[in-house]
Amino acid sequence: MGNNRKTIAAGAGAGAGAAGLLGLGLYFSVPAFADDPAPSPTAHAGQGHPGKEHPLRRARALRGVHGEATVKRKDGFHLATWQRGKITAVSATGVTVRSDDGVSWTWTADGKTHVRKNGGKSSLKGLTGGDQVLVAGERSGGTRTARLIRVPQHR
């Protein structure tokens, strides 16, 4: 018991920010659930285990516009990066995308780049300026290489 108290006390200062964010999240989410006194037990069916979902699906749920993360792989560390925005330019070698916050990144495409448009396979030639896209890939130095360029289906 004594060790647990020390651990909690030591972690309290570092975890205060996280606890505050959790409390803020609960503050905003609880009233939303309170509006529906009897939520359906199948309301979240089909979502699967939260830890098993695709990382880009989590990024989409957060409604982020761009980001980077250092990831460790068998061959070392890599800088994974992604961006959501509108295409402002398309060339034979890549695209330039501008996010809602004004950030503009140029992405290089290569033989490993997968392009998806409206639910099907596509190519760089199938992309046009103004297309809303999600681009994911890696950054090395100042070069961003796209592994996925996805134009979502219109609903």
Short mmCIF file of all heavy atoms in Angstrom, two decimals, residues 38-114:
data_model
loop_
_atom_site.label_atom_id
_atom_site.label_comp_id
_atom_site.label_asym_id
_atom_site.label_seq_id
_atom_site.Cartn_x
_atom_site.Cartn_y
_atom_site.Cartn_z
N ALA A 38 -31.96 6.88 -22.25
CA ALA A 38 -31.87 5.44 -22.45
C ALA A 38 -31.14 5.13 -23.75
O ALA A 38 -31.74 4.79 -24.74
CB ALA A 38 -33.27 4.84 -22.48
N PRO A 39 -29.79 5.29 -23.76
CA PRO A 39 -29.08 5.00 -25.00
C PRO A 39 -29.19 3.52 -25.36
O PRO A 39 -29.22 2.67 -24.49
CB PRO A 39 -27.63 5.39 -24.68
CG PRO A 39 -27.53 5.41 -23.20
CD PRO A 39 -28.91 5.68 -22.67
N SER A 40 -29.25 3.26 -26.62
CA SER A 40 -29.38 1.90 -27.12
C SER A 40 -28.10 1.13 -26.86
O SER A 40 -27.00 1.64 -27.10
CB SER A 40 -29.67 1.94 -28.62
OG SER A 40 -29.49 0.67 -29.18
N PRO A 41 -28.18 -0.14 -26.39
CA PRO A 41 -26.96 -0.92 -26.17
C PRO A 41 -26.24 -1.24 -27.47
O PRO A 41 -25.08 -1.59 -27.46
CB PRO A 41 -27.46 -2.19 -25.49
CG PRO A 41 -28.92 -2.24 -25.75
CD PRO A 41 -29.38 -0.84 -26.00
N THR A 42 -26.89 -1.09 -28.62
CA THR A 42 -26.24 -1.36 -29.90
C THR A 42 -25.79 -0.08 -30.58
O THR A 42 -25.43 -0.10 -31.73
CB THR A 42 -27.20 -2.12 -30.83
OG1 THR A 42 -28.37 -1.32 -31.04
CG2 THR A 42 -27.57 -3.47 -30.26
N ALA A 43 -25.79 1.03 -29.87
CA ALA A 43 -25.43 2.31 -30.48
C ALA A 43 -24.00 2.31 -31.01
O ALA A 43 -23.69 3.01 -31.95
CB ALA A 43 -25.60 3.44 -29.47
N HIS A 44 -23.13 1.52 -30.40
CA HIS A 44 -21.73 1.50 -30.83
C HIS A 44 -21.35 0.17 -31.47
O HIS A 44 -20.18 -0.17 -31.54
CB HIS A 44 -20.82 1.79 -29.63
CG HIS A 44 -21.11 3.11 -29.00
ND1 HIS A 44 -20.81 4.29 -29.62
CD2 HIS A 44 -21.72 3.44 -27.84
CE1 HIS A 44 -21.20 5.30 -28.85
NE2 HIS A 44 -21.76 4.80 -27.77
N ALA A 45 -22.31 -0.58 -31.90
CA ALA A 45 -22.04 -1.88 -32.51
C ALA A 45 -21.25 -1.71 -33.80
O ALA A 45 -21.46 -0.77 -34.54
CB ALA A 45 -23.34 -2.62 -32.81
N GLY A 46 -20.33 -2.60 -34.04
CA GLY A 46 -19.57 -2.58 -35.28
C GLY A 46 -18.32 -1.75 -35.23
O GLY A 46 -17.56 -1.70 -36.18
N GLN A 47 -18.08 -1.07 -34.12
CA GLN A 47 -16.88 -0.25 -34.04
C GLN A 47 -15.65 -1.07 -33.70
O GLN A 47 -14.55 -0.63 -33.91
CB GLN A 47 -17.06 0.86 -33.02
CG GLN A 47 -18.02 1.92 -33.48
CD GLN A 47 -18.13 3.06 -32.49
OE1 GLN A 47 -17.61 2.99 -31.39
NE2 GLN A 47 -18.79 4.12 -32.89
N GLY A 48 -15.83 -2.25 -33.14
CA GLY A 48 -14.69 -3.10 -32.83
C GLY A 48 -13.95 -2.64 -31.60
O GLY A 48 -14.34 -1.69 -30.93
N HIS A 49 -12.88 -3.31 -31.31
CA HIS A 49 -12.06 -2.99 -30.16
C HIS A 49 -11.30 -1.70 -30.42
O HIS A 49 -10.66 -1.56 -31.45
CB HIS A 49 -11.10 -4.15 -29.90
CG HIS A 49 -10.36 -4.02 -28.61
ND1 HIS A 49 -9.22 -3.28 -28.50
CD2 HIS A 49 -10.61 -4.52 -27.37
CE1 HIS A 49 -8.78 -3.34 -27.26
NE2 HIS A 49 -9.61 -4.08 -26.56
N PRO A 50 -11.35 -0.72 -29.48
CA PRO A 50 -10.72 0.58 -29.74
C PRO A 50 -9.23 0.49 -30.05
O PRO A 50 -8.71 1.26 -30.81
CB PRO A 50 -10.95 1.37 -28.46
CG PRO A 50 -11.92 0.61 -27.65
CD PRO A 50 -12.01 -0.78 -28.20
N GLY A 51 -8.53 -0.47 -29.46
CA GLY A 51 -7.09 -0.59 -29.71
C GLY A 51 -6.76 -1.24 -31.04
O GLY A 51 -5.63 -1.26 -31.46
N LYS A 52 -7.73 -1.79 -31.72
CA LYS A 52 -7.50 -2.52 -32.96
C LYS A 52 -7.78 -1.71 -34.21
O LYS A 52 -7.60 -2.18 -35.30
CB LYS A 52 -8.37 -3.79 -33.00
CG LYS A 52 -8.14 -4.71 -31.84
CD LYS A 52 -6.97 -5.60 -32.10
CE LYS A 52 -6.87 -6.62 -30.97
NZ LYS A 52 -5.72 -7.44 -31.07
N GLU A 53 -8.27 -0.49 -34.07
CA GLU A 53 -8.64 0.28 -35.25
C GLU A 53 -7.42 0.89 -35.94
O GLU A 53 -6.34 0.98 -35.36
CB GLU A 53 -9.66 1.35 -34.90
CG GLU A 53 -9.13 2.41 -33.97
CD GLU A 53 -10.19 3.41 -33.59
OE1 GLU A 53 -10.72 4.08 -34.49
OE2 GLU A 53 -10.48 3.51 -32.41
N HIS A 54 -7.60 1.30 -37.15
CA HIS A 54 -6.53 1.88 -37.96
C HIS A 54 -6.15 3.25 -37.42
O HIS A 54 -7.02 4.04 -37.07
CB HIS A 54 -7.00 1.98 -39.41
CG HIS A 54 -5.89 2.22 -40.35
ND1 HIS A 54 -5.38 3.47 -40.59
CD2 HIS A 54 -5.16 1.37 -41.11
CE1 HIS A 54 -4.40 3.39 -41.46
NE2 HIS A 54 -4.24 2.13 -41.79
N PRO A 55 -4.85 3.60 -37.34
CA PRO A 55 -4.43 4.90 -36.80
C PRO A 55 -5.02 6.09 -37.54
O PRO A 55 -5.32 7.11 -36.94
CB PRO A 55 -2.92 4.89 -36.94
CG PRO A 55 -2.52 3.50 -37.23
CD PRO A 55 -3.72 2.77 -37.70
N LEU A 56 -5.20 5.98 -38.86
CA LEU A 56 -5.77 7.11 -39.59
C LEU A 56 -7.23 7.32 -39.23
O LEU A 56 -7.73 8.43 -39.27
CB LEU A 56 -5.64 6.90 -41.10
CG LEU A 56 -4.22 6.98 -41.63
CD1 LEU A 56 -4.19 6.70 -43.12
CD2 LEU A 56 -3.60 8.33 -41.34
N ARG A 57 -7.92 6.25 -38.85
CA ARG A 57 -9.31 6.39 -38.42
C ARG A 57 -9.37 7.21 -37.14
O ARG A 57 -10.25 8.03 -36.96
CB ARG A 57 -9.93 5.02 -38.21
CG ARG A 57 -11.41 5.06 -38.03
CD ARG A 57 -11.99 3.71 -38.17
NE ARG A 57 -11.55 3.18 -39.46
CZ ARG A 57 -12.18 2.25 -40.13
NH1 ARG A 57 -13.26 1.73 -39.67
NH2 ARG A 57 -11.71 1.82 -41.28
N ARG A 58 -8.41 7.00 -36.24
CA ARG A 58 -8.37 7.79 -35.01
C ARG A 58 -8.06 9.25 -35.33
O ARG A 58 -8.63 10.15 -34.73
CB ARG A 58 -7.33 7.23 -34.06
CG ARG A 58 -7.87 6.09 -33.23
CD ARG A 58 -6.86 5.61 -32.24
NE ARG A 58 -6.33 4.39 -32.82
CZ ARG A 58 -5.08 4.00 -32.77
NH1 ARG A 58 -4.21 4.70 -32.13
NH2 ARG A 58 -4.70 2.89 -33.33
N ALA A 59 -7.16 9.50 -36.27
CA ALA A 59 -6.84 10.87 -36.65
C ALA A 59 -8.06 11.57 -37.22
O ALA A 59 -8.31 12.73 -36.95
CB ALA A 59 -5.70 10.89 -37.67
N ARG A 60 -8.84 10.85 -38.04
CA ARG A 60 -10.04 11.43 -38.61
C ARG A 60 -11.04 11.76 -37.52
O ARG A 60 -11.69 12.81 -37.56
CB ARG A 60 -10.65 10.46 -39.62
CG ARG A 60 -11.88 11.01 -40.31
CD ARG A 60 -12.40 10.11 -41.37
NE ARG A 60 -12.66 8.79 -40.83
CZ ARG A 60 -12.77 7.71 -41.57
NH1 ARG A 60 -12.63 7.76 -42.86
NH2 ARG A 60 -13.01 6.55 -41.01
N ALA A 61 -11.16 10.88 -36.51
CA ALA A 61 -12.10 11.12 -35.41
C ALA A 61 -11.70 12.35 -34.61
O ALA A 61 -12.56 13.04 -34.07
CB ALA A 61 -12.17 9.90 -34.51
N LEU A 62 -10.41 12.65 -34.54
CA LEU A 62 -9.95 13.83 -33.81
C LEU A 62 -10.14 15.11 -34.62
O LEU A 62 -9.96 16.19 -34.10
CB LEU A 62 -8.48 13.67 -33.44
CG LEU A 62 -8.17 12.59 -32.43
CD1 LEU A 62 -6.66 12.43 -32.27
CD2 LEU A 62 -8.81 12.92 -31.09
N ARG A 63 -10.46 14.97 -35.89
CA ARG A 63 -10.70 16.09 -36.79
C ARG A 63 -9.45 16.96 -36.97
O ARG A 63 -9.53 18.15 -37.20
CB ARG A 63 -11.90 16.90 -36.34
CG ARG A 63 -13.14 16.02 -36.19
CD ARG A 63 -14.40 16.74 -35.90
NE ARG A 63 -14.86 17.68 -36.86
CZ ARG A 63 -15.39 17.39 -38.05
NH1 ARG A 63 -15.51 16.17 -38.44
NH2 ARG A 63 -15.82 18.35 -38.84
N GLY A 64 -8.29 16.34 -36.85
CA GLY A 64 -7.04 17.06 -37.05
C GLY A 64 -6.83 17.39 -38.51
O GLY A 64 -7.39 16.76 -39.40
N VAL A 65 -6.00 18.40 -38.78
CA VAL A 65 -5.74 18.80 -40.16
C VAL A 65 -4.36 18.38 -40.65
O VAL A 65 -4.18 18.19 -41.84
CB VAL A 65 -5.95 20.32 -40.37
CG1 VAL A 65 -7.41 20.67 -40.24
CG2 VAL A 65 -5.12 21.13 -39.43
N HIS A 66 -3.39 18.24 -39.76
CA HIS A 66 -2.08 17.72 -40.14
C HIS A 66 -1.30 17.35 -38.89
O HIS A 66 -1.61 17.82 -37.80
CB HIS A 66 -1.27 18.70 -41.00
CG HIS A 66 -1.08 20.04 -40.38
ND1 HIS A 66 -0.09 20.31 -39.49
CD2 HIS A 66 -1.76 21.20 -40.55
CE1 HIS A 66 -0.16 21.58 -39.12
NE2 HIS A 66 -1.17 22.15 -39.75
N GLY A 67 -0.30 16.47 -39.06
CA GLY A 67 0.50 16.08 -37.92
C GLY A 67 1.65 15.19 -38.30
O GLY A 67 1.74 14.71 -39.43
N GLU A 68 2.55 14.98 -37.33
CA GLU A 68 3.71 14.13 -37.52
C GLU A 68 3.96 13.36 -36.23
O GLU A 68 3.66 13.85 -35.15
CB GLU A 68 4.95 14.97 -37.86
CG GLU A 68 4.86 15.67 -39.18
CD GLU A 68 6.13 16.43 -39.52
OE1 GLU A 68 6.85 16.85 -38.61
OE2 GLU A 68 6.38 16.58 -40.72
N ALA A 69 4.53 12.17 -36.35
CA ALA A 69 4.89 11.36 -35.20
C ALA A 69 6.13 10.54 -35.54
O ALA A 69 6.25 10.02 -36.65
CB ALA A 69 3.74 10.43 -34.82
N THR A 70 7.03 10.41 -34.58
CA THR A 70 8.20 9.57 -34.77
C THR A 70 7.81 8.15 -34.37
O THR A 70 7.31 7.93 -33.27
CB THR A 70 9.37 10.06 -33.89
OG1 THR A 70 9.64 11.41 -34.23
CG2 THR A 70 10.60 9.21 -34.11
N VAL A 71 8.01 7.20 -35.28
CA VAL A 71 7.66 5.81 -35.03
C VAL A 71 8.91 4.94 -35.17
O VAL A 71 9.80 5.24 -35.97
CB VAL A 71 6.55 5.31 -35.99
CG1 VAL A 71 5.25 6.06 -35.74
CG2 VAL A 71 6.97 5.46 -37.43
N LYS A 72 8.95 3.87 -34.37
CA LYS A 72 10.09 2.96 -34.41
C LYS A 72 9.70 1.72 -35.20
O LYS A 72 8.65 1.12 -34.98
CB LYS A 72 10.50 2.55 -33.00
CG LYS A 72 11.74 1.69 -32.96
CD LYS A 72 12.14 1.38 -31.53
CE LYS A 72 13.39 0.53 -31.53
NZ LYS A 72 13.77 0.19 -30.16
N ARG A 73 10.53 1.36 -36.16
CA ARG A 73 10.35 0.15 -36.97
C ARG A 73 11.59 -0.71 -36.84
O ARG A 73 12.57 -0.31 -36.21
CB ARG A 73 10.11 0.52 -38.43
CG ARG A 73 8.84 1.33 -38.61
CD ARG A 73 8.47 1.40 -40.07
NE ARG A 73 7.35 2.29 -40.22
CZ ARG A 73 7.25 3.20 -41.17
NH1 ARG A 73 8.20 3.33 -42.06
NH2 ARG A 73 6.19 3.97 -41.23
N LYS A 74 11.56 -1.87 -37.47
CA LYS A 74 12.71 -2.79 -37.39
C LYS A 74 13.99 -2.14 -37.90
O LYS A 74 15.06 -2.41 -37.39
CB LYS A 74 12.43 -4.05 -38.20
CG LYS A 74 11.37 -4.92 -37.59
CD LYS A 74 11.12 -6.14 -38.45
CE LYS A 74 10.00 -6.98 -37.86
NZ LYS A 74 9.71 -8.15 -38.68
N ASP A 75 13.87 -1.27 -38.91
CA ASP A 75 15.06 -0.65 -39.50
C ASP A 75 15.39 0.71 -38.90
O ASP A 75 16.21 1.45 -39.44
CB ASP A 75 14.90 -0.53 -41.02
CG ASP A 75 13.72 0.33 -41.43
OD1 ASP A 75 12.82 0.55 -40.61
OD2 ASP A 75 13.71 0.79 -42.58
N GLY A 76 14.74 1.09 -37.79
CA GLY A 76 15.06 2.35 -37.13
C GLY A 76 13.86 3.25 -36.98
O GLY A 76 12.71 2.82 -37.09
N PHE A 77 14.11 4.53 -36.73
CA PHE A 77 13.06 5.50 -36.50
C PHE A 77 12.66 6.19 -37.80
O PHE A 77 13.51 6.48 -38.64
CB PHE A 77 13.51 6.55 -35.48
CG PHE A 77 13.69 5.98 -34.10
CD1 PHE A 77 14.94 5.57 -33.66
CD2 PHE A 77 12.61 5.83 -33.25
CE1 PHE A 77 15.11 5.04 -32.40
CE2 PHE A 77 12.77 5.30 -31.99
CZ PHE A 77 14.02 4.90 -31.56
N HIS A 78 11.38 6.46 -37.96
CA HIS A 78 10.84 7.14 -39.13
C HIS A 78 9.88 8.23 -38.67
O HIS A 78 9.27 8.12 -37.61
CB HIS A 78 10.08 6.15 -40.03
CG HIS A 78 10.94 5.09 -40.59
ND1 HIS A 78 11.53 5.18 -41.83
CD2 HIS A 78 11.34 3.88 -40.10
CE1 HIS A 78 12.24 4.10 -42.06
NE2 HIS A 78 12.14 3.29 -41.02
N LEU A 79 9.73 9.25 -39.49
CA LEU A 79 8.81 10.33 -39.18
C LEU A 79 7.56 10.16 -40.03
O LEU A 79 7.55 10.46 -41.23
CB LEU A 79 9.47 11.69 -39.46
CG LEU A 79 8.72 12.91 -38.94
CD1 LEU A 79 8.50 12.82 -37.43
CD2 LEU A 79 9.48 14.17 -39.26
N ALA A 80 6.51 9.61 -39.42
CA ALA A 80 5.22 9.44 -40.10
C ALA A 80 4.49 10.77 -40.08
O ALA A 80 4.51 11.49 -39.08
CB ALA A 80 4.39 8.37 -39.39
N THR A 81 3.88 11.13 -41.19
CA THR A 81 3.19 12.42 -41.29
C THR A 81 1.90 12.27 -42.08
O THR A 81 1.77 11.36 -42.90
CB THR A 81 4.14 13.47 -41.93
OG1 THR A 81 3.53 14.74 -41.93
CG2 THR A 81 4.55 13.09 -43.32
N TRP A 82 0.94 13.13 -41.82
CA TRP A 82 -0.34 13.10 -42.52
C TRP A 82 -0.91 14.51 -42.62
O TRP A 82 -0.52 15.40 -41.86
CB TRP A 82 -1.33 12.17 -41.81
CG TRP A 82 -1.65 12.62 -40.41
CD1 TRP A 82 -0.97 12.35 -39.28
CD2 TRP A 82 -2.72 13.47 -40.01
NE1 TRP A 82 -1.54 12.95 -38.20
CE2 TRP A 82 -2.62 13.65 -38.62
CE3 TRP A 82 -3.75 14.10 -40.70
CZ2 TRP A 82 -3.52 14.43 -37.91
CZ3 TRP A 82 -4.65 14.87 -39.98
CH2 TRP A 82 -4.53 15.03 -38.61
N GLN A 83 -1.80 14.70 -43.58
CA GLN A 83 -2.42 16.01 -43.79
C GLN A 83 -3.80 15.84 -44.42
O GLN A 83 -4.00 14.99 -45.29
CB GLN A 83 -1.55 16.87 -44.71
CG GLN A 83 -2.10 18.25 -44.96
CD GLN A 83 -1.22 19.07 -45.89
OE1 GLN A 83 -0.45 18.53 -46.67
NE2 GLN A 83 -1.34 20.38 -45.82
N ARG A 84 -4.72 16.65 -43.98
CA ARG A 84 -6.05 16.70 -44.57
C ARG A 84 -6.23 18.12 -45.11
O ARG A 84 -5.91 19.10 -44.44
CB ARG A 84 -7.11 16.44 -43.51
CG ARG A 84 -8.51 16.46 -44.07
CD ARG A 84 -9.57 16.21 -43.02
NE ARG A 84 -9.46 14.87 -42.51
CZ ARG A 84 -9.38 14.58 -41.21
NH1 ARG A 84 -9.39 15.51 -40.31
NH2 ARG A 84 -9.29 13.32 -40.82
N GLY A 85 -6.72 18.24 -46.34
CA GLY A 85 -6.94 19.55 -46.93
C GLY A 85 -7.35 19.44 -48.39
O GLY A 85 -7.75 18.38 -48.86
N LYS A 86 -7.23 20.57 -49.10
CA LYS A 86 -7.58 20.61 -50.52
C LYS A 86 -6.33 20.64 -51.38
O LYS A 86 -5.35 21.31 -51.04
CB LYS A 86 -8.42 21.85 -50.83
CG LYS A 86 -9.81 21.77 -50.28
CD LYS A 86 -10.63 22.95 -50.73
CE LYS A 86 -12.05 22.81 -50.17
NZ LYS A 86 -12.90 23.90 -50.58
N ILE A 87 -6.40 19.94 -52.50
CA ILE A 87 -5.30 19.94 -53.45
C ILE A 87 -5.26 21.31 -54.13
O ILE A 87 -6.26 21.79 -54.65
CB ILE A 87 -5.46 18.84 -54.51
CG1 ILE A 87 -5.34 17.46 -53.85
CG2 ILE A 87 -4.44 18.99 -55.63
CD1 ILE A 87 -5.57 16.30 -54.80
N THR A 88 -4.05 21.92 -54.12
CA THR A 88 -3.88 23.20 -54.82
C THR A 88 -3.08 23.02 -56.10
O THR A 88 -3.12 23.90 -56.96
CB THR A 88 -3.19 24.24 -53.91
OG1 THR A 88 -1.93 23.73 -53.49
CG2 THR A 88 -4.06 24.56 -52.69
N ALA A 89 -2.34 21.92 -56.22
CA ALA A 89 -1.57 21.66 -57.44
C ALA A 89 -1.34 20.16 -57.58
O ALA A 89 -1.13 19.46 -56.59
CB ALA A 89 -0.23 22.39 -57.40
N VAL A 90 -1.37 19.69 -58.83
CA VAL A 90 -1.08 18.29 -59.15
C VAL A 90 -0.03 18.28 -60.24
O VAL A 90 -0.13 19.02 -61.21
CB VAL A 90 -2.34 17.54 -59.66
CG1 VAL A 90 -2.01 16.09 -59.96
CG2 VAL A 90 -3.48 17.62 -58.66
N SER A 91 1.00 17.45 -60.06
CA SER A 91 2.03 17.30 -61.10
C SER A 91 2.23 15.81 -61.36
O SER A 91 1.60 14.97 -60.72
CB SER A 91 3.34 17.94 -60.65
OG SER A 91 3.95 17.16 -59.64
N ALA A 92 3.12 15.48 -62.26
CA ALA A 92 3.41 14.08 -62.57
C ALA A 92 4.13 13.40 -61.41
O ALA A 92 4.16 12.17 -61.34
CB ALA A 92 4.25 14.00 -63.83
N THR A 93 4.70 14.19 -60.49
CA THR A 93 5.48 13.61 -59.39
C THR A 93 4.86 13.78 -58.01
O THR A 93 5.42 13.33 -57.03
CB THR A 93 6.89 14.21 -59.36
OG1 THR A 93 6.79 15.63 -59.19
CG2 THR A 93 7.65 13.88 -60.63
N GLY A 94 3.69 14.44 -57.91
CA GLY A 94 3.09 14.61 -56.60
C GLY A 94 1.98 15.65 -56.57
O GLY A 94 1.48 16.09 -57.61
N VAL A 95 1.62 16.03 -55.34
CA VAL A 95 0.55 17.00 -55.12
C VAL A 95 0.96 18.00 -54.05
O VAL A 95 1.81 17.72 -53.22
CB VAL A 95 -0.77 16.31 -54.67
CG1 VAL A 95 -1.31 15.40 -55.74
CG2 VAL A 95 -0.60 15.57 -53.37
N THR A 96 0.32 19.16 -54.09
CA THR A 96 0.45 20.15 -53.02
C THR A 96 -0.91 20.27 -52.39
O THR A 96 -1.92 20.41 -53.08
CB THR A 96 0.93 21.51 -53.56
OG1 THR A 96 2.21 21.33 -54.20
CG2 THR A 96 1.07 22.53 -52.45
N VAL A 97 -0.94 20.20 -51.04
CA VAL A 97 -2.19 20.23 -50.30
C VAL A 97 -2.14 21.38 -49.29
O VAL A 97 -1.12 21.60 -48.63
CB VAL A 97 -2.41 18.89 -49.56
CG1 VAL A 97 -3.67 18.93 -48.72
CG2 VAL A 97 -2.45 17.74 -50.55
N ARG A 98 -3.25 22.10 -49.20
CA ARG A 98 -3.37 23.20 -48.23
C ARG A 98 -4.46 22.84 -47.23
O ARG A 98 -5.60 22.57 -47.60
CB ARG A 98 -3.72 24.50 -48.94
CG ARG A 98 -3.80 25.70 -48.01
CD ARG A 98 -4.13 26.96 -48.80
NE ARG A 98 -4.35 28.07 -47.94
CZ ARG A 98 -3.43 28.97 -47.62
NH1 ARG A 98 -2.22 28.87 -48.13
NH2 ARG A 98 -3.72 29.97 -46.82
N SER A 99 -4.10 22.84 -45.94
CA SER A 99 -5.03 22.54 -44.86
C SER A 99 -5.86 23.78 -44.52
O SER A 99 -5.50 24.90 -44.89
CB SER A 99 -4.28 22.09 -43.62
OG SER A 99 -3.57 20.91 -43.87
N ASP A 100 -6.93 23.57 -43.78
CA ASP A 100 -7.81 24.68 -43.38
C ASP A 100 -7.09 25.74 -42.56
O ASP A 100 -7.50 26.89 -42.56
CB ASP A 100 -9.00 24.15 -42.58
CG ASP A 100 -10.01 23.42 -43.45
OD1 ASP A 100 -9.96 23.58 -44.69
OD2 ASP A 100 -10.84 22.68 -42.88
N ASP A 101 -6.02 25.36 -41.85
CA ASP A 101 -5.30 26.35 -41.05
C ASP A 101 -4.24 27.10 -41.85
O ASP A 101 -3.49 27.90 -41.30
CB ASP A 101 -4.67 25.69 -39.82
CG ASP A 101 -3.58 24.70 -40.17
OD1 ASP A 101 -3.46 24.30 -41.35
OD2 ASP A 101 -2.84 24.30 -39.25
N GLY A 102 -4.18 26.86 -43.17
CA GLY A 102 -3.26 27.59 -44.03
C GLY A 102 -1.94 26.89 -44.32
O GLY A 102 -1.15 27.38 -45.14
N VAL A 103 -1.66 25.77 -43.68
CA VAL A 103 -0.41 25.05 -43.91
C VAL A 103 -0.46 24.38 -45.28
O VAL A 103 -1.44 23.73 -45.63
CB VAL A 103 -0.17 23.99 -42.81
CG1 VAL A 103 0.99 23.08 -43.16
CG2 VAL A 103 0.07 24.67 -41.48
N SER A 104 0.59 24.58 -46.07
CA SER A 104 0.66 24.01 -47.40
C SER A 104 1.90 23.13 -47.50
O SER A 104 3.01 23.60 -47.26
CB SER A 104 0.72 25.13 -48.44
OG SER A 104 0.67 24.61 -49.73
N TRP A 105 1.70 21.84 -47.81
CA TRP A 105 2.80 20.91 -47.95
C TRP A 105 2.77 20.29 -49.34
O TRP A 105 1.70 19.99 -49.87
CB TRP A 105 2.71 19.78 -46.92
CG TRP A 105 3.02 20.17 -45.51
CD1 TRP A 105 3.65 21.29 -45.07
CD2 TRP A 105 2.69 19.42 -44.34
NE1 TRP A 105 3.75 21.28 -43.70
CE2 TRP A 105 3.16 20.14 -43.22
CE3 TRP A 105 2.06 18.21 -44.12
CZ2 TRP A 105 3.02 19.69 -41.92
CZ3 TRP A 105 1.91 17.76 -42.81
CH2 TRP A 105 2.40 18.49 -41.73
N THR A 106 3.96 20.07 -49.92
CA THR A 106 4.08 19.37 -51.19
C THR A 106 4.47 17.93 -50.89
O THR A 106 5.40 17.68 -50.12
CB THR A 106 5.13 20.04 -52.09
OG1 THR A 106 4.70 21.38 -52.36
CG2 THR A 106 5.30 19.29 -53.39
N TRP A 107 3.74 17.01 -51.48
CA TRP A 107 3.94 15.58 -51.28
C TRP A 107 4.46 14.96 -52.57
O TRP A 107 3.88 15.16 -53.63
CB TRP A 107 2.62 14.91 -50.91
CG TRP A 107 2.08 15.33 -49.58
CD1 TRP A 107 1.35 16.46 -49.32
CD2 TRP A 107 2.22 14.64 -48.35
NE1 TRP A 107 1.04 16.50 -47.99
CE2 TRP A 107 1.56 15.39 -47.38
CE3 TRP A 107 2.85 13.45 -47.99
CZ2 TRP A 107 1.49 15.00 -46.05
CZ3 TRP A 107 2.78 13.06 -46.66
CH2 TRP A 107 2.11 13.83 -45.71
N THR A 108 5.53 14.18 -52.48
CA THR A 108 6.08 13.45 -53.62
C THR A 108 5.40 12.09 -53.69
O THR A 108 5.16 11.45 -52.67
CB THR A 108 7.60 13.25 -53.43
OG1 THR A 108 8.21 14.53 -53.31
CG2 THR A 108 8.20 12.52 -54.60
N ALA A 109 5.09 11.65 -54.90
CA ALA A 109 4.50 10.32 -55.11
C ALA A 109 5.54 9.45 -55.79
O ALA A 109 6.35 9.92 -56.57
CB ALA A 109 3.25 10.43 -55.96
N ASP A 110 5.51 8.15 -55.45
CA ASP A 110 6.41 7.20 -56.10
C ASP A 110 5.64 5.91 -56.39
O ASP A 110 4.42 5.88 -56.28
CB ASP A 110 7.67 6.95 -55.26
CG ASP A 110 7.37 6.37 -53.88
OD1 ASP A 110 6.25 5.85 -53.66
OD2 ASP A 110 8.26 6.43 -53.01
N GLY A 111 6.34 4.86 -56.74
CA GLY A 111 5.70 3.60 -57.08
C GLY A 111 4.95 2.95 -55.93
O GLY A 111 4.11 2.08 -56.13
N LYS A 112 5.24 3.35 -54.69
CA LYS A 112 4.57 2.79 -53.52
C LYS A 112 3.34 3.60 -53.09
O LYS A 112 2.67 3.25 -52.14
CB LYS A 112 5.54 2.71 -52.35
CG LYS A 112 6.70 1.76 -52.58
CD LYS A 112 7.62 1.77 -51.37
CE LYS A 112 8.85 0.91 -51.60
NZ LYS A 112 9.76 0.97 -50.45
N THR A 113 3.07 4.70 -53.77
CA THR A 113 1.94 5.56 -53.41
C THR A 113 0.64 4.96 -53.91
O THR A 113 0.52 4.61 -55.08
CB THR A 113 2.12 6.98 -54.01
OG1 THR A 113 3.35 7.52 -53.55
CG2 THR A 113 0.97 7.88 -53.62
N HIS A 114 -0.32 4.83 -53.01
CA HIS A 114 -1.66 4.33 -53.36
C HIS A 114 -2.60 5.52 -53.43
O HIS A 114 -2.68 6.32 -52.49
CB HIS A 114 -2.17 3.34 -52.30
CG HIS A 114 -1.33 2.12 -52.18
ND1 HIS A 114 -1.46 1.05 -53.03
CD2 HIS A 114 -0.32 1.81 -51.32
CE1 HIS A 114 -0.58 0.13 -52.69
NE2 HIS A 114 0.13 0.57 -51.67
#
